[in-house]
Amino acid sequence: MEVPAVSLSVLLSAADPGDAPTAPTLQDAQESATNAASWVEENWSTWLAIGLRVLLIVVIAAVLRVAIRRAITKLIDRMNRTASAVDGTALGGLLVNVERRRQRSQAIGSVLRSVASFLIMGTAALMVLSTFEINLAPLLASAGVAGVAIGFGARNLVTDFLSGVFMILEDQYGVGDTVDAGVASGEVIEVGLRVTKLRGDNGEIWYVRNGEVKRIGNLSQGWATAGVDVTVRPIEDLEKVRRTVLAVGEEMSKDEPWNERLWGPIEVLGLDSVLLDSMVVRVSAKTMPGKALSVERELRWRIKLAFDAADIPIVGGIPLQQEVEQETDPTAGMAPPSAYSSTSSPQSERAAPIAPPMK
């Protein structure tokens, strides 16, 4: 049986491993080029379609992201211009100041831009992967499991973040407000998505996590009430007291800057209490938020001056006991004279010793 020449040459080449491999011939290169050209000719349309689809998705996502971010920025700028227009007016007291509106609008704009970018670019990435016919089910399942794990591990952080977002969106408080957050109270100096900074009455700074705030009391929104108690003698004429207080309130409402801080007329509510030696007249007024204390001080000052002019004394507290000076008795510290000091007194005679009998 004869062995073919080709098989013999193969066996000889395998038997001698020291020989160098044969270089590819021109015919082999032509065959490889022909196969590559045929593969490109068969699949170029598919790859071109995939490339154009990916490019279209990326361009649309980029244009949509820029347009939405620009629209959000214009909305925030319009909010800031509206706040600047009403600042310094009576309506500005009902709303918030420029700094508060600016920080609130910036926080809202940052959140909206981040959410828009995440949604747009995330959707575009998924569409690109689906264009390459990649199975997204395992990827989505893994992302869901990772999201649940992160949610359980960082639930406090997520709670603080969501609470901060809703506090800003609902405008519960802002920079410059005086609030009572339960765990701390003071003036708000910064509002963040996770932490709110408060400055206390003694100058300390409180860092309050937004997730820990269960209830909030804002003392700077809407309006405030200034209340003053005036204590006079029970024999005073109440109508005279009322007229004097109302005159003070009318004059105060015309002076600067109290005409802006007073949002209503000063009213005499009546007697708060009646005692044997005094009676308390309650005076109240509606004021600008955060200005009640200054209004109360000015109102007390003016009422005191008006009462002095009208000869209406203000009483209150424990009356001082007036000490009566008594003449000093020089013999107050001396003991009374004893009966034994006189030798002729009956007590001295009885106490004298008995003389011995004469011999």
Side-chain angles (χ1 to χ4, degrees), residues 287-309:
T287 68
M288 182 185 297
K291 303 299 181 180
L293 186 59
S294 60
V295 172
E296 290 176 359
R297 293 171 176 171
E298 181 67 19
L299 188 58
R300 291 190 187 98
W301 183 283
R302 292 174 179 257
I303 289 177
K304 178 62 171 63
L305 296 178
F307 277 18
D308 290 343

Side-chain angles (χ1 to χ4, degrees), residues 154-280:
R155 57 184 181 275
N156 291 332
L157 180 62
V158 175
T159 302
D160 296 339
F161 180 80
L162 294 179
S163 300
V165 170
F166 282 106
M167 285 179 181
I168 294 176
L169 292 178
E170 296 174 1
D171 192 19
Q172 297 180 8
Y173 54 82
V175 175
D177 288 351
T178 302
V179 299
D180 181 4
V183 294
S185 60
E187 182 182 355
V188 180
I189 60 177
E190 184 178 345
V191 179
L193 294 177
R194 193 183 70 86
V195 175
T196 298
K197 294 182 182 180
L198 303 178
R199 184 176 296 279
D201 297 334
N202 297 325
E204 69 276 8
I205 296 180
W206 298 96
Y207 294 85
V208 182
R209 287 171 42 198
N210 296 328
E212 293 182 350
V213 179
K214 304 303 180 183
R215 54 115 178 140
I216 192 76
N218 196 324
L219 307 180
S220 301
Q221 286 185 353
W223 48 269
T225 302
V228 176
D229 292 333
V230 182
T231 307
V232 296
R233 297 178 303 179
I235 61 175
E236 296 294 338
D237 186 4
L238 291 177
E239 291 299 329
K240 183 179 179 181
V241 173
R242 181 192 296 270
R243 289 193 303 268
T244 306
V245 173
L246 293 179
V248 170
E250 184 177 358
E251 180 182 358
M252 184 176 175
S253 62
K254 296 178 182 178
D255 296 340
E256 293 284 347
W258 311 110
N259 54 353
E260 295 182 358
R261 298 181 181 181
L262 286 172
W263 286 4
I266 295 177
E267 301 177 352
V268 179
L269 302 181
L271 288 176
D272 192 65
S273 64
V274 179
L275 303 176
L276 294 177
D277 56 349
S278 65
M279 58 182 178
V280 179

Side-chain angles (χ1 to χ4, degrees), residues 3-250:
V3 179
V6 177
S7 300
L8 183 59
S9 62
V10 171
L11 293 176
L12 291 175
S13 61
D16 189 5
D19 295 343
T22 58
T25 61
L26 180 61
Q27 183 178 0
D28 295 337
Q30 291 180 353
E31 184 177 357
S32 300
T34 303
N35 294 334
S38 61
W39 183 87
V40 170
E41 184 179 1
E42 293 177 358
N43 299 280
W44 73 270
S45 58
T46 303
W47 284 102
L48 181 60
I50 293 175
L52 292 177
R53 190 179 302 174
V54 171
L55 180 62
L56 183 61
I57 292 173
V58 172
V59 170
I60 293 177
V63 172
L64 186 61
R65 178 175 177 270
V66 171
I68 292 179
R69 290 175 64 91
R70 185 170 299 178
I72 293 174
T73 303
K74 289 184 177 180
L75 178 62
I76 298 305
D77 294 340
R78 182 175 300 178
M79 292 173 60
N80 291 333
R81 288 196 299 268
T82 304
S84 301
V86 301
D87 185 61
T89 62
L91 182 60
L94 287 173
L95 299 176
V96 289
N97 53 30
V98 176
E99 179 64 19
R100 172 180 171 180
R101 290 293 295 269
R102 185 186 65 81
Q103 289 197 8
R104 177 171 175 260
S105 59
Q106 286 182 354
I108 295 176
S110 177
V111 172
L112 292 179
R113 283 191 290 266
S114 299
V115 171
S117 299
F118 177 78
L119 292 178
I120 293 173
M121 301 310 295
T123 305
L126 293 178
M127 294 178 65
V128 169
L129 293 178
S130 64
T131 302
F132 288 101
E133 297 182 356
I134 297 177
N135 189 10
L136 299 179
L139 180 62
L140 295 178
S142 301
V145 173
V148 172
I150 294 175
F152 276 108
R155 57 184 181 275
N156 291 332
L157 180 62
V158 175
T159 302
D160 296 339
F161 180 80
L162 294 179
S163 300
V165 170
F166 282 106
M167 285 179 181
I168 294 176
L169 292 178
E170 296 174 1
D171 192 19
Q172 297 180 8
Y173 54 82
V175 175
D177 288 351
T178 302
V179 299
D180 181 4
V183 294
S185 60
E187 182 182 355
V188 180
I189 60 177
E190 184 178 345
V191 179
L193 294 177
R194 193 183 70 86
V195 175
T196 298
K197 294 182 182 180
L198 303 178
R199 184 176 296 279
D201 297 334
N202 297 325
E204 69 276 8
I205 296 180
W206 298 96
Y207 294 85
V208 182
R209 287 171 42 198
N210 296 328
E212 293 182 350
V213 179
K214 304 303 180 183
R215 54 115 178 140
I216 192 76
N218 196 324
L219 307 180
S220 301
Q221 286 185 353
W223 48 269
T225 302
V228 176
D229 292 333
V230 182
T231 307
V232 296
R233 297 178 303 179
I235 61 175
E236 296 294 338
D237 186 4
L238 291 177
E239 291 299 329
K240 183 179 179 181
V241 173
R242 181 192 296 270
R243 289 193 303 268
T244 306
V245 173
L246 293 179
V248 170
E250 184 177 358

Side-chain angles (χ1 to χ4, degrees), residues 326-343:
Q326 298 180 357
E327 296 182 358
T328 304
D329 187 5
T331 61
M334 298 176 59
S338 175
Y340 295 97
S341 61
S342 177
T343 57

